Amino acid sequence: MSTATLTFDLDDRDDRIEFERMTKALDMAMALWELQMNGYRKFTKYNDRQEGAYQEGIEEVFEYIRGLMREHNIEVEQLIV
């Protein structure tokens, strides 16, 4: 079994910021998963305003989000298993 140890000097501002990033990574992944999986449905399937321009706008926004995820090589499913 491989192991890794990360060490942070919490008195150092840059290390403290990096520590916060590491400890919040799962929270960020869960928020992205929620946005990606349930956000789209919230604004389409469970919304009364499913006509024309509204629907096209929602499609465009979520395609932009999916594109950003691809561009940054983020596969949320890999982060939350």
Side-chain angles (χ1 to χ4, degrees):
M1 174 186 199
S2 299
T3 62
T5 302
L6 302 174
T7 303
F8 300 95
D9 176 2
L10 298 180
D11 292 325
D12 178 72
R13 181 181 179 276
D14 291 336
D15 267 14
R16 192 171 52 253
I17 291 169
E18 192 65 24
F19 173 76
E20 290 295 327
R21 287 180 182 148
M22 297 295 163
T23 58
K24 288 296 189 180
L26 180 59
D27 294 336
M28 289 187 287
M30 295 301 291
L32 287 171
W33 185 87
E34 184 68 30
L35 176 65
Q36 205 174 23
M37 299 300 164
N38 295 325
Y40 181 79
R41 277 184 286 237
K42 176 183 168 102
F43 292 105
T44 56
K45 184 176 180 181
Y46 302 114
N47 195 308
D48 293 336
R49 299 182 304 175
Q50 295 182 12
E51 73 285 336
Y54 176 84
Q55 184 66 30
E56 290 171 17
I58 296 299
E59 294 288 341
E60 189 173 335
V61 166
F62 277 89
E63 185 52 42
Y64 177 73
I65 292 168
R66 288 188 288 269
L68 283 174
M69 302 288 274
R70 282 190 302 272
E71 181 181 323
H72 292 279
N73 199 28
I74 297 172
E75 300 215 16
V76 178
E77 292 82 8
Q78 291 177 343
L79 302 173
I80 61 173
V81 290

